Amino acid sequence: MKKIIVALVIACSSAMALGMSAPARAQLGQNSIGPSLAIGGGQTSVGIDSKFGVSDNLSLRPFIYFPSGGTYFGSGLTYDFNLTNTGNKVQITPFIGGLVSIGTGGINNSTTVGFLGGADFDVTDTIQLRAALNVPISSNNSSTTVNIGAGFRF
């Protein structure tokens, strides 16, 4: 378990260093954080989902959820497809990528690697809605989840 935590700290530190070196225009307004629901595996979990723009089309998406009997956290790295509808100022950003998550306690005591896909919907300059599908490629007590939530952009 200590090796997993050390690896997660190194990965997050590397992502932060990369984010600091990205152009300022790539970071402005691409970051968000907010409440989210994860539905799957026979239960619904409440948590926090976030998005940090690493470059114009890459985002780091850390998350943490609290299912019954444990904690589920990790991060995804996604490629974002920017689609802009200038008529009514709603921007839809589909994304696809991979994720790594770690579950602690209960039946979620495992590490999962999987695919992540979904879309961000910019409702206003400060509010973003998010929907995502997480599909694991490992079979250690994992199941597909649907995540829905809102984010406050900064």
Side-chain angles (χ1 to χ4, degrees), residues 59-136:
S59 293
L60 189 63
R61 297 174 179 269
F63 58 86
I64 185 167
Y65 290 98
F66 304 100
S68 60
T71 304
Y72 182 69
F73 65 94
S75 183
L77 181 64
T78 60
Y79 183 84
D80 303 336
F81 303 91
N82 292 324
L83 306 176
T84 305
N85 181 350
T86 57
N88 57 8
K89 296 186 180 181
V90 174
Q91 183 172 354
I92 300 171
T93 309
F95 57 86
I96 190 165
L99 68 90
V100 175
S101 62
I102 300 168
T104 60
I107 62 170
N108 296 316
N109 197 14
S110 63
T111 301
T112 304
V113 176
F115 297 106
L116 172 64
D120 297 322
F121 305 96
D122 295 336
V123 179
T124 66
D125 289 342
T126 57
I127 298 190
Q128 182 177 72
L129 299 178
R130 180 179 306 117
L133 180 67
N134 299 338
V135 180

Side-chain angles (χ1 to χ4, degrees), residues 12-88:
C12 289
S13 299
S14 299
M16 291 301 291
L18 183 61
M20 289 178 173
S21 65
R25 69 175 178 81
Q27 297 178 22
L28 185 62
Q30 287 190 0
N31 304 325
S32 68
I33 188 167
S36 185
L37 293 175
I39 304 164
Q43 62 182 339
T44 300
S45 305
V46 176
I48 299 172
D49 205 352
S50 58
K51 171 187 171 186
F52 298 98
V54 177
S55 71
D56 286 339
N57 292 95
L58 288 178
S59 293
L60 189 63
R61 297 174 179 269
F63 58 86
I64 185 167
Y65 290 98
F66 304 100
S68 60
T71 304
Y72 182 69
F73 65 94
S75 183
L77 181 64
T78 60
Y79 183 84
D80 303 336
F81 303 91
N82 292 324
L83 306 176
T84 305
N85 181 350
T86 57
N88 57 8

